[in-house]
Amino acid sequence: MKGYIVRNPKLAWREVDGEMVIISPEDSQVHELNETASLIWKHADGRSLEEIAERISTEYEVSLEAARADIGELVTTLEQKQLVFVATEVKG
Amino acid sequence: MAKTPVMDGLISRTVERHLPWSVHVDLTYRCNERCIHCYLDHEDHGEMKTDEIKNVLEQLAQSGTLFLTLSGGEIFLRDDLFELLEFARSLHFDISLKTNALLIDAERARKLRALSVRRIQISIYSAEPAVHDAITKVRGSLERTLTAIRFLQAEGLQVKIACPLMKQNLMAYRNVQALAAELGVPYVLDMTITPKMDGDMSLLQLRNPAQDLLPILQDPTLNPPSSSQDSAQEAPLTTGSATSSGIESQAYEDIPCSAGHNSCYISPYGEVFPCVQMPVATGNLRQQRFEEIWFKSPEMERVRAVRESQLPVCSKCSIRQYCERCPGLAQMEGGDLLGAYERACDLAELKAGLAGVQNPISALHAQKPNTKGLCSIPSLVATPAVQAGSN
Ligand code: SF4
Ligand code: SF4
């Protein structure tokens, strides 16, 4: 799994009962993430997607392939909503 | 914040769990205007220092606060404002500001944008300089405030106009409404004038008698039928307090409002209250940790235990649905957090009359044999009720 993921730094967020609530300051849009998406969000500090897949695989006791597939879809959604950015390389 | 199913669900959860997710912090009571209706004393009696405020913000973030409103006094009189904003941003708060905007120039607007401040609420009393400036007691203040709004808009920041209404500017709501439309910003009319913090009631003389508010309560542009309101949009008018959190929800059910349930107020001196408009001291952050006050203060628990269905007078009121009783004002004006108070009753009777209720009379007035319901105008064409302002 390629790429590095980072949260959109403009957003405001807080965890409520294990789920992330995110607000965009530009349009006041409120987003609520499910448990897995919240986990991705928490780790989206510039680390690699592969590392996050490994964590999810361990935490939920699922195969690495299944974790990768789950993450792939969720990351695409988060990216489309401009909640995260995915880069192919880490910028030095 | 707009009412949406997601927000409603979140509000219910935060209320159930007593998460302090909306907190209003006044950074100073000092101000560069002298508004005639202001309840503050404008002195510095020992404001929290930069590090103390940062510590409070850290505690709030840990406790689950998402919505942070910074207000005053005039926040731009704090030299450390941008340092505090930067710190708040690093803690991922959703940040709203309340300011008179006199000290906002293009450079400061740019910085606010860079710090992802979501909303800036600015008071405007009239689109006519003579009326606005007579209320702020600063000549040229309307012009300066409008210039600042344009700087903020040029940066793409969300501005909201708040227009407190008093005798001096009652009908100015129309030109403020037009001004907001011209600027393309939402606005809120606020009919609440509160006593001074020290209990001095003289400011209440500035209040419009309830009957004088009829044109506003009947104005169809302020009372659109609910079916035509886009639920994702901000309703154009709330009659609650401009000082409150701005979060409204049906999730509150049997509790009077958000105060002490999922929101609270912190003064420049570190005092914690359930709401800026509720003078019930619950503790001081200079002596105690936030969570200790929030979860354990007996006063906070007392406020939290109030249920509308158990209010001694109001629970028996036949026009309750038209009433926007604020428990804080009940305490300030009637001396009882659980009680009814004249102003709420007068307004509720007016609204009930407008909605077609025959001889509306509040439970408080019904108890007093010589008091008639203020409003007996069933012949007036009914207009939809003004949106409830309690939050
Ligand atoms: S109803 Fe009154 S006490 Fe309650 S949140 Fe609103 S202003 Fe505060
Ligand atoms: S109208 Fe008066 S008595 Fe009735 S609910 Fe409101 S404050 Fe209480």
Side-chain angles (χ1 to χ4, degrees):
Chain A
M1 194 162 210
K2 286 214 169 74
Y4 299 85
I5 182 169
V6 65
R7 295 183 282 264
N8 178 343
K10 287 185 186 155
L11 303 171
W13 49 277
R14 204 62 83 214
E15 195 174 339
V16 180
D17 288 339
E19 293 180 354
M20 256 344 134
V21 179
I22 303 171
I23 299 186
S24 152
E26 274 146 9
D27 55 7
S28 297
Q29 190 84 33
V30 182
H31 305 268
E32 203 181 0
L33 305 188
N34 67 21
E35 209 182 316
T36 322
S38 297
L39 205 73
I40 297 175
W41 173 268
K42 268 195 257 181
H43 295 306
D45 53 3
R47 69 184 81 187
S48 73
L49 289 170
E50 185 62 19
E51 197 184 329
I52 295 176
E54 279 164 19
R55 266 178 182 265
I56 287 181
S57 150
T58 317
E59 203 145 318
Y60 290 98
E61 296 178 1
V62 293
S63 69
L64 192 56
E65 286 70 35
R68 281 182 186 142
D70 259 12
I71 288 184
E73 260 180 53
L74 285 169
V75 168
T76 310
T77 314
L78 293 175
E79 219 184 345
Q80 278 165 355
K81 292 180 188 285
Q82 299 194 337
L83 301 183
V84 298
F85 302 121
V86 178
T88 43
E89 279 174 37
V90 188
K91 282 195 181 141
Chain B
M1 178 74 22
K3 279 190 203 181
T4 64
V6 173
M7 278 300 281
D8 250 9
L10 281 166
I11 290 169
S12 296
R13 278 156 66 196
T14 54
V15 166
E16 268 164 33
R17 294 203 36 221
H18 299 159
L19 261 186
W21 93 320
S22 175
V23 177
H24 172 158
V25 181
D26 275 350
L27 297 176
T28 180
Y29 287 157
R30 289 173 288 133
C31 194
N32 47 1
E33 287 184 341
R34 283 292 178 273
C35 300
I36 56 173
H37 63 295
C38 185
Y39 55 90
L40 301 174
D41 67 1
H42 304 124
E43 299 297 328
D44 176 358
H45 299 287
E47 291 167 6
M48 283 189 284
K49 304 269 181 275
T50 312
D51 285 348
E52 290 179 286
I53 296 177
K54 284 184 178 176
N55 182 271
V56 169
L57 295 178
E58 255 167 351
Q59 292 187 55
L60 292 177
Q62 279 161 15
S63 305
T65 302
L66 173 58
F67 297 100
L68 179 69
T69 301
L70 298 179
S71 180
E74 175 45 47
I75 49 173
F76 281 88
L77 289 179
R78 287 246 1 177
D79 294 338
D80 56 359
L81 179 65
F82 282 99
E83 184 180 344
L84 293 172
L85 285 174
E86 217 164 292
F87 190 73
R89 193 78 273 284
S90 74
L91 296 170
H92 316 299
F93 286 107
D94 170 87
I95 305 169
S96 298
L97 307 179
K98 292 185 178 181
T99 167
N100 60 34
L102 290 187
L103 297 173
I104 297 180
D105 56 14
E107 172 62 13
R108 285 181 162 169
R110 195 193 54 72
K111 277 179 155 174
L112 293 177
R113 171 65 170 176
L115 288 163
S116 300
V117 168
R118 182 167 61 86
R119 171 133 77 189
I120 297 133
Q121 181 174 303
I122 298 171
S123 293
I124 292 197
Y125 304 95
S126 168
E128 287 175 31
V131 177
H132 177 95
D133 295 358
I135 289 175
T136 64
K137 294 204 211 154
V138 175
R139 189 176 295 176
S141 56
L142 177 63
E143 205 183 314
R144 284 168 66 191
T145 296
L146 289 175
T147 305
I149 289 179
R150 294 197 179 93
F151 286 138
L152 294 167
Q153 287 192 300
E155 290 296 335
L157 284 154
Q158 295 187 56
V159 171
K160 180 177 183 178
I161 291 177
C163 178
L165 292 173
M166 58 204 96
K167 282 179 184 158
Q168 284 73 358
N169 69 336
L170 178 62
M171 295 317 284
Y173 82 86
R174 291 201 180 119
N175 64 41
V176 171
Q177 194 180 22
L179 176 68
E182 187 192 318
L183 293 167
V185 302
Y187 66 97
V188 57
L189 302 182
D190 186 1
M191 302 190 224
T192 315
I193 301 288
T194 60
K196 282 198 175 174
M197 295 185 93
D198 60 8
D200 177 352
M201 295 286 186
S202 59
L203 292 180
L204 301 189
Q205 292 166 8
L206 301 173
R207 245 182 206 174
N208 290 288
Q211 288 282 6
D212 292 1
L213 298 174
L214 266 173
I216 294 182
L217 299 177
Q218 289 175 284
D219 186 335
T221 65
L222 298 174
N223 298 278
S226 53
S227 57
S228 71
Q229 271 180 34
D230 178 354
S231 63
Q233 298 295 314
E234 193 100 16
L237 169 73
T238 60
T239 54
S241 163
T243 53
S244 55
S245 65
I247 298 171
E248 291 157 20
S249 170
Q250 286 159 359
Y252 294 133
E253 291 173 14
D254 200 21
I255 61 174
C257 60
S258 64
H261 290 275
N262 68 357
S263 68
C264 70
Y265 166 71
I266 298 173
S267 83
Y269 312 120
E271 303 148 304
V272 181
F273 298 88
C275 169
V276 65
Q277 211 161 271
M278 189 185 280
V280 176
T282 63
N284 192 307
L285 293 164
R286 282 174 155 157
Q287 280 111 42
Q288 288 163 283
R289 295 203 40 91
F290 176 77
E291 293 213 342
E292 196 185 327
I293 299 171
W294 176 255
F295 286 113
K296 299 200 182 131
S297 143
E299 293 81 11
M300 199 66 95
E301 301 240 306
R302 186 168 68 90
V303 169
R304 222 172 256 151
V306 175
R307 292 293 173 272
E308 299 251 277
S309 56
Q310 290 164 7
L311 296 176
V313 176
C314 300
S315 63
K316 300 181 190 78
C317 184
S318 62
I319 55 165
R320 178 82 192 96
Q321 71 186 102
Y322 302 100
C323 179
E324 293 178 16
R325 176 186 175 277
C326 159
L329 291 177
Q331 171 79 48
M332 276 195 266
E333 294 186 33
D336 181 3
L337 199 65
L338 309 179
Y341 57 103
E342 288 295 335
R343 180 70 170 181
C345 296
D346 289 350
L347 286 171
E349 285 168 358
L350 273 180
K351 285 184 202 163
L354 288 170
V357 176
Q358 301 282 322
N359 299 320
I361 184 153
S362 68
L364 180 68
H365 291 158
Q367 278 181 348
K368 300 177 182 171
N370 295 328
T371 320
K372 276 227 167 102
L374 200 149
C375 181
S376 48
I377 39 174
S379 58
L380 283 172
V381 180
T383 54
V386 172
Q387 185 197 337
S390 298
N391 44 3

PDB file of all heavy atoms in Angstrom, chain A residues 43-70:
ATOM      1  N   HIS A  43      -4.366   8.475  13.129  1.00  0.00           N
ATOM      2  CA  HIS A  43      -2.987   8.168  12.745  1.00  0.00           C
ATOM      3  C   HIS A  43      -2.513   8.974  11.535  1.00  0.00           C
ATOM      4  O   HIS A  43      -1.371   8.824  11.098  1.00  0.00           O
ATOM      5  CB  HIS A  43      -2.856   6.671  12.457  1.00  0.00           C
ATOM      6  CG  HIS A  43      -3.085   5.826  13.672  1.00  0.00           C
ATOM      7  ND1 HIS A  43      -2.385   6.009  14.850  1.00  0.00           N
ATOM      8  CD2 HIS A  43      -3.955   4.822  13.916  1.00  0.00           C
ATOM      9  CE1 HIS A  43      -2.815   5.145  15.748  1.00  0.00           C
ATOM     10  NE2 HIS A  43      -3.769   4.424  15.207  1.00  0.00           N
ATOM     11  N   ALA A  44      -3.403   9.808  10.990  1.00  0.00           N
ATOM     12  CA  ALA A  44      -3.051  10.525   9.755  1.00  0.00           C
ATOM     13  C   ALA A  44      -2.170  11.732  10.067  1.00  0.00           C
ATOM     14  O   ALA A  44      -2.554  12.880   9.896  1.00  0.00           O
ATOM     15  CB  ALA A  44      -4.322  10.951   9.028  1.00  0.00           C
ATOM     16  N   ASP A  45      -0.971  11.459  10.522  1.00  0.00           N
ATOM     17  CA  ASP A  45      -0.064  12.553  10.887  1.00  0.00           C
ATOM     18  C   ASP A  45       1.181  12.511  10.018  1.00  0.00           C
ATOM     19  O   ASP A  45       2.271  12.884  10.443  1.00  0.00           O
ATOM     20  CB  ASP A  45       0.307  12.427  12.370  1.00  0.00           C
ATOM     21  CG  ASP A  45       0.848  11.043  12.695  1.00  0.00           C
ATOM     22  OD1 ASP A  45       0.990  10.227  11.764  1.00  0.00           O
ATOM     23  OD2 ASP A  45       1.112  10.775  13.879  1.00  0.00           O
ATOM     24  N   GLY A  46       1.015  12.012   8.804  1.00  0.00           N
ATOM     25  CA  GLY A  46       2.147  11.950   7.887  1.00  0.00           C
ATOM     26  C   GLY A  46       2.717  10.544   7.777  1.00  0.00           C
ATOM     27  O   GLY A  46       3.638  10.299   7.007  1.00  0.00           O
ATOM     28  N   ARG A  47       2.133   9.595   8.521  1.00  0.00           N
ATOM     29  CA  ARG A  47       2.697   8.238   8.421  1.00  0.00           C
ATOM     30  C   ARG A  47       2.148   7.507   7.198  1.00  0.00           C
ATOM     31  O   ARG A  47       1.223   7.965   6.533  1.00  0.00           O
ATOM     32  CB  ARG A  47       2.498   7.457   9.714  1.00  0.00           C
ATOM     33  CG  ARG A  47       1.113   7.072  10.041  1.00  0.00           C
ATOM     34  CD  ARG A  47       1.066   6.395  11.404  1.00  0.00           C
ATOM     35  NE  ARG A  47       1.065   7.359  12.497  1.00  0.00           N
ATOM     36  CZ  ARG A  47       1.160   7.013  13.781  1.00  0.00           C
ATOM     37  NH1 ARG A  47       1.328   5.770  14.136  1.00  0.00           N
ATOM     38  NH2 ARG A  47       1.113   7.933  14.719  1.00  0.00           N
ATOM     39  N   SER A  48       2.732   6.357   6.912  1.00  0.00           N
ATOM     40  CA  SER A  48       2.373   5.671   5.672  1.00  0.00           C
ATOM     41  C   SER A  48       1.065   4.894   5.831  1.00  0.00           C
ATOM     42  O   SER A  48       0.717   4.448   6.932  1.00  0.00           O
ATOM     43  CB  SER A  48       3.496   4.723   5.254  1.00  0.00           C
ATOM     44  OG  SER A  48       3.506   3.611   6.124  1.00  0.00           O
ATOM     45  N   LEU A  49       0.381   4.730   4.714  1.00  0.00           N
ATOM     46  CA  LEU A  49      -0.874   3.983   4.729  1.00  0.00           C
ATOM     47  C   LEU A  49      -0.607   2.531   5.107  1.00  0.00           C
ATOM     48  O   LEU A  49      -1.424   1.885   5.763  1.00  0.00           O
ATOM     49  CB  LEU A  49      -1.534   4.063   3.346  1.00  0.00           C
ATOM     50  CG  LEU A  49      -2.099   5.445   2.989  1.00  0.00           C
ATOM     51  CD1 LEU A  49      -2.506   5.497   1.523  1.00  0.00           C
ATOM     52  CD2 LEU A  49      -3.298   5.783   3.868  1.00  0.00           C
ATOM     53  N   GLU A  50       0.550   2.046   4.707  1.00  0.00           N
ATOM     54  CA  GLU A  50       0.898   0.666   5.024  1.00  0.00           C
ATOM     55  C   GLU A  50       0.987   0.467   6.549  1.00  0.00           C
ATOM     56  O   GLU A  50       0.495  -0.523   7.090  1.00  0.00           O
ATOM     57  CB  GLU A  50       2.242   0.315   4.350  1.00  0.00           C
ATOM     58  CG  GLU A  50       2.673  -1.129   4.500  1.00  0.00           C
ATOM     59  CD  GLU A  50       1.702  -2.137   3.850  1.00  0.00           C
ATOM     60  OE1 GLU A  50       0.896  -1.725   2.993  1.00  0.00           O
ATOM     61  OE2 GLU A  50       1.748  -3.312   4.239  1.00  0.00           O
ATOM     62  N   GLU A  51       1.574   1.452   7.205  1.00  0.00           N
ATOM     63  CA  GLU A  51       1.702   1.365   8.660  1.00  0.00           C
ATOM     64  C   GLU A  51       0.315   1.357   9.317  1.00  0.00           C
ATOM     65  O   GLU A  51       0.074   0.617  10.272  1.00  0.00           O
ATOM     66  CB  GLU A  51       2.515   2.571   9.143  1.00  0.00           C
ATOM     67  CG  GLU A  51       3.055   2.407  10.542  1.00  0.00           C
ATOM     68  CD  GLU A  51       3.769   3.675  11.019  1.00  0.00           C
ATOM     69  OE1 GLU A  51       4.348   4.407  10.189  1.00  0.00           O
ATOM     70  OE2 GLU A  51       3.723   3.930  12.240  1.00  0.00           O
ATOM     71  N   ILE A  52      -0.578   2.179   8.786  1.00  0.00           N
ATOM     72  CA  ILE A  52      -1.937   2.235   9.338  1.00  0.00           C
ATOM     73  C   ILE A  52      -2.658   0.911   9.084  1.00  0.00           C
ATOM     74  O   ILE A  52      -3.356   0.383   9.959  1.00  0.00           O
ATOM     75  CB  ILE A  52      -2.715   3.434   8.747  1.00  0.00           C
ATOM     76  CG1 ILE A  52      -2.046   4.741   9.208  1.00  0.00           C
ATOM     77  CG2 ILE A  52      -4.175   3.424   9.193  1.00  0.00           C
ATOM     78  CD1 ILE A  52      -2.641   5.993   8.629  1.00  0.00           C
ATOM     79  N   ALA A  53      -2.460   0.342   7.903  1.00  0.00           N
ATOM     80  CA  ALA A  53      -3.078  -0.955   7.586  1.00  0.00           C
ATOM     81  C   ALA A  53      -2.601  -2.010   8.585  1.00  0.00           C
ATOM     82  O   ALA A  53      -3.396  -2.817   9.093  1.00  0.00           O
ATOM     83  CB  ALA A  53      -2.730  -1.357   6.163  1.00  0.00           C
ATOM     84  N   GLU A  54      -1.327  -1.977   8.889  1.00  0.00           N
ATOM     85  CA  GLU A  54      -0.773  -2.953   9.850  1.00  0.00           C
ATOM     86  C   GLU A  54      -1.428  -2.795  11.225  1.00  0.00           C
ATOM     87  O   GLU A  54      -1.805  -3.762  11.867  1.00  0.00           O
ATOM     88  CB  GLU A  54       0.746  -2.782   9.964  1.00  0.00           C
ATOM     89  CG  GLU A  54       1.497  -3.476   8.829  1.00  0.00           C
ATOM     90  CD  GLU A  54       2.935  -2.999   8.706  1.00  0.00           C
ATOM     91  OE1 GLU A  54       3.459  -2.416   9.681  1.00  0.00           O
ATOM     92  OE2 GLU A  54       3.523  -3.185   7.624  1.00  0.00           O
ATOM     93  N   ARG A  55      -1.564  -1.557  11.654  1.00  0.00           N
ATOM     94  CA  ARG A  55      -2.187  -1.292  12.956  1.00  0.00           C
ATOM     95  C   ARG A  55      -3.621  -1.808  12.995  1.00  0.00           C
ATOM     96  O   ARG A  55      -4.049  -2.428  13.955  1.00  0.00           O
ATOM     97  CB  ARG A  55      -2.238   0.224  13.211  1.00  0.00           C
ATOM     98  CG  ARG A  55      -1.066   0.701  13.992  1.00  0.00           C
ATOM     99  CD  ARG A  55      -1.160   2.202  14.172  1.00  0.00           C
ATOM    100  NE  ARG A  55       0.026   2.650  14.891  1.00  0.00           N
ATOM    101  CZ  ARG A  55       0.071   2.823  16.202  1.00  0.00           C
ATOM    102  NH1 ARG A  55      -1.006   2.631  16.937  1.00  0.00           N
ATOM    103  NH2 ARG A  55       1.185   3.205  16.783  1.00  0.00           N
ATOM    104  N   ILE A  56      -4.355  -1.505  11.932  1.00  0.00           N
ATOM    105  CA  ILE A  56      -5.767  -1.904  11.901  1.00  0.00           C
ATOM    106  C   ILE A  56      -5.871  -3.429  11.850  1.00  0.00           C
ATOM    107  O   ILE A  56      -6.722  -4.031  12.508  1.00  0.00           O
ATOM    108  CB  ILE A  56      -6.489  -1.215  10.718  1.00  0.00           C
ATOM    109  CG1 ILE A  56      -6.661   0.260  11.081  1.00  0.00           C
ATOM    110  CG2 ILE A  56      -7.837  -1.865  10.415  1.00  0.00           C
ATOM    111  CD1 ILE A  56      -7.351   1.112  10.073  1.00  0.00           C
ATOM    112  N   SER A  57      -4.986  -4.027  11.108  1.00  0.00           N
ATOM    113  CA  SER A  57      -4.972  -5.487  11.023  1.00  0.00           C
ATOM    114  C   SER A  57      -4.759  -6.082  12.415  1.00  0.00           C
ATOM    115  O   SER A  57      -5.425  -7.037  12.813  1.00  0.00           O
ATOM    116  CB  SER A  57      -3.868  -5.896  10.041  1.00  0.00           C
ATOM    117  OG  SER A  57      -3.324  -7.130  10.375  1.00  0.00           O
ATOM    118  N   THR A  58      -3.841  -5.517  13.200  1.00  0.00           N
ATOM    119  CA  THR A  58      -3.583  -6.023  14.553  1.00  0.00           C
ATOM    120  C   THR A  58      -4.760  -5.717  15.480  1.00  0.00           C
ATOM    121  O   THR A  58      -5.265  -6.594  16.182  1.00  0.00           O
ATOM    122  CB  THR A  58      -2.321  -5.344  15.152  1.00  0.00           C
ATOM    123  OG1 THR A  58      -1.323  -5.291  14.132  1.00  0.00           O
ATOM    124  CG2 THR A  58      -1.804  -6.069  16.365  1.00  0.00           C
ATOM    125  N   GLU A  59      -5.203  -4.452  15.426  1.00  0.00           N
ATOM    126  CA  GLU A  59      -6.237  -4.023  16.370  1.00  0.00           C
ATOM    127  C   GLU A  59      -7.552  -4.778  16.190  1.00  0.00           C
ATOM    128  O   GLU A  59      -8.216  -5.132  17.142  1.00  0.00           O
ATOM    129  CB  GLU A  59      -6.465  -2.517  16.214  1.00  0.00           C
ATOM    130  CG  GLU A  59      -7.062  -1.911  17.445  1.00  0.00           C
ATOM    131  CD  GLU A  59      -6.521  -0.492  17.682  1.00  0.00           C
ATOM    132  OE1 GLU A  59      -5.291  -0.261  17.514  1.00  0.00           O
ATOM    133  OE2 GLU A  59      -7.332   0.341  18.002  1.00  0.00           O
ATOM    134  N   TYR A  60      -7.937  -5.018  14.920  1.00  0.00           N
ATOM    135  CA  TYR A  60      -9.226  -5.672  14.657  1.00  0.00           C
ATOM    136  C   TYR A  60      -9.078  -7.154  14.337  1.00  0.00           C
ATOM    137  O   TYR A  60     -10.061  -7.806  13.980  1.00  0.00           O
ATOM    138  CB  TYR A  60      -9.939  -4.960  13.504  1.00  0.00           C
ATOM    139  CG  TYR A  60     -10.421  -3.579  13.895  1.00  0.00           C
ATOM    140  CD1 TYR A  60      -9.682  -2.442  13.574  1.00  0.00           C
ATOM    141  CD2 TYR A  60     -11.619  -3.410  14.600  1.00  0.00           C
ATOM    142  CE1 TYR A  60     -10.109  -1.184  13.944  1.00  0.00           C
ATOM    143  CE2 TYR A  60     -12.059  -2.155  14.965  1.00  0.00           C
ATOM    144  CZ  TYR A  60     -11.303  -1.035  14.638  1.00  0.00           C
ATOM    145  OH  TYR A  60     -11.736   0.211  15.000  1.00  0.00           O
ATOM    146  N   GLU A  61      -7.855  -7.650  14.413  1.00  0.00           N
ATOM    147  CA  GLU A  61      -7.575  -9.059  14.119  1.00  0.00           C
ATOM    148  C   GLU A  61      -8.143  -9.479  12.771  1.00  0.00           C
ATOM    149  O   GLU A  61      -8.907 -10.440  12.654  1.00  0.00           O
ATOM    150  CB  GLU A  61      -8.114  -9.958  15.247  1.00  0.00           C
ATOM    151  CG  GLU A  61      -7.388  -9.689  16.561  1.00  0.00           C
ATOM    152  CD  GLU A  61      -7.928 -10.513  17.713  1.00  0.00           C
ATOM    153  OE1 GLU A  61      -8.848 -11.306  17.511  1.00  0.00           O
ATOM    154  OE2 GLU A  61      -7.392 -10.349  18.820  1.00  0.00           O
ATOM    155  N   VAL A  62      -7.811  -8.694  11.755  1.00  0.00           N
ATOM    156  CA  VAL A  62      -8.194  -9.057  10.377  1.00  0.00           C
ATOM    157  C   VAL A  62      -6.902  -9.187   9.567  1.00  0.00           C
ATOM    158  O   VAL A  62      -5.846  -8.686   9.987  1.00  0.00           O
ATOM    159  CB  VAL A  62      -9.108  -7.988   9.706  1.00  0.00           C
ATOM    160  CG1 VAL A  62     -10.458  -7.937  10.390  1.00  0.00           C
ATOM    161  CG2 VAL A  62      -8.449  -6.617   9.703  1.00  0.00           C
ATOM    162  N   SER A  63      -7.008  -9.851   8.421  1.00  0.00           N
ATOM    163  CA  SER A  63      -5.803 -10.025   7.608  1.00  0.00           C
ATOM    164  C   SER A  63      -5.329  -8.669   7.088  1.00  0.00           C
ATOM    165  O   SER A  63      -6.119  -7.729   6.957  1.00  0.00           O
ATOM    166  CB  SER A  63      -6.089 -10.953   6.427  1.00  0.00           C
ATOM    167  OG  SER A  63      -6.952 -10.280   5.528  1.00  0.00           O
ATOM    168  N   LEU A  64      -4.055  -8.606   6.773  1.00  0.00           N
ATOM    169  CA  LEU A  64      -3.487  -7.361   6.259  1.00  0.00           C
ATOM    170  C   LEU A  64      -4.177  -6.965   4.951  1.00  0.00           C
ATOM    171  O   LEU A  64      -4.448  -5.784   4.708  1.00  0.00           O
ATOM    172  CB  LEU A  64      -1.980  -7.536   6.062  1.00  0.00           C
ATOM    173  CG  LEU A  64      -1.162  -6.277   5.812  1.00  0.00           C
ATOM    174  CD1 LEU A  64      -1.359  -5.252   6.915  1.00  0.00           C
ATOM    175  CD2 LEU A  64       0.330  -6.626   5.703  1.00  0.00           C
ATOM    176  N   GLU A  65      -4.517  -7.947   4.140  1.00  0.00           N
ATOM    177  CA  GLU A  65      -5.185  -7.668   2.848  1.00  0.00           C
ATOM    178  C   GLU A  65      -6.550  -7.008   3.095  1.00  0.00           C
ATOM    179  O   GLU A  65      -6.896  -6.024   2.449  1.00  0.00           O
ATOM    180  CB  GLU A  65      -5.397  -8.961   2.030  1.00  0.00           C
ATOM    181  CG  GLU A  65      -4.142  -9.535   1.404  1.00  0.00           C
ATOM    182  CD  GLU A  65      -3.197 -10.111   2.471  1.00  0.00           C
ATOM    183  OE1 GLU A  65      -3.702 -10.672   3.485  1.00  0.00           O
ATOM    184  OE2 GLU A  65      -1.972  -9.960   2.318  1.00  0.00           O
ATOM    185  N   ALA A  66      -7.287  -7.581   4.060  1.00  0.00           N
ATOM    186  CA  ALA A  66      -8.622  -7.034   4.352  1.00  0.00           C
ATOM    187  C   ALA A  66      -8.489  -5.611   4.886  1.00  0.00           C
ATOM    188  O   ALA A  66      -9.261  -4.718   4.502  1.00  0.00           O
ATOM    189  CB  ALA A  66      -9.332  -7.910   5.370  1.00  0.00           C
ATOM    190  N   ALA A  67      -7.498  -5.399   5.750  1.00  0.00           N
ATOM    191  CA  ALA A  67      -7.283  -4.054   6.303  1.00  0.00           C
ATOM    192  C   ALA A  67      -6.940  -3.077   5.185  1.00  0.00           C
ATOM    193  O   ALA A  67      -7.475  -1.964   5.128  1.00  0.00           O
ATOM    194  CB  ALA A  67      -6.172  -4.082   7.343  1.00  0.00           C
ATOM    195  N   ARG A  68      -6.072  -3.503   4.273  1.00  0.00           N
ATOM    196  CA  ARG A  68      -5.686  -2.626   3.143  1.00  0.00           C
ATOM    197  C   ARG A  68      -6.903  -2.248   2.305  1.00  0.00           C
ATOM    198  O   ARG A  68      -7.063  -1.104   1.911  1.00  0.00           O
ATOM    199  CB  ARG A  68      -4.676  -3.349   2.257  1.00  0.00           C
ATOM    200  CG  ARG A  68      -3.269  -3.339   2.809  1.00  0.00           C
ATOM    201  CD  ARG A  68      -2.356  -4.039   1.821  1.00  0.00           C
ATOM    202  NE  ARG A  68      -1.029  -4.199   2.347  1.00  0.00           N
ATOM    203  CZ  ARG A  68      -0.271  -5.271   2.145  1.00  0.00           C
ATOM    204  NH1 ARG A  68      -0.730  -6.295   1.426  1.00  0.00           N
ATOM    205  NH2 ARG A  68       0.937  -5.330   2.636  1.00  0.00           N
ATOM    206  N   ALA A  69      -7.744  -3.245   2.041  1.00  0.00           N
ATOM    207  CA  ALA A  69      -8.926  -2.985   1.202  1.00  0.00           C
ATOM    208  C   ALA A  69      -9.842  -1.967   1.885  1.00  0.00           C
ATOM    209  O   ALA A  69     -10.298  -1.005   1.259  1.00  0.00           O
ATOM    210  CB  ALA A  69      -9.673  -4.285   0.957  1.00  0.00           C
ATOM    211  N   ASP A  70     -10.075  -2.171   3.188  1.00  0.00           N
ATOM    212  CA  ASP A  70     -10.934  -1.257   3.955  1.00  0.00           C
ATOM    213  C   ASP A  70     -10.382   0.159   3.918  1.00  0.00           C
ATOM    214  O   ASP A  70     -11.078   1.134   3.647  1.00  0.00           O
ATOM    215  CB  ASP A  70     -10.960  -1.697   5.428  1.00  0.00           C
ATOM    216  CG  ASP A  70     -12.223  -2.453   5.729  1.00  0.00           C
ATOM    217  OD1 ASP A  70     -12.915  -2.797   4.771  1.00  0.00           O
ATOM    218  OD2 ASP A  70     -12.488  -2.690   6.936  1.00  0.00           O
TER     219      ASP A  70
END
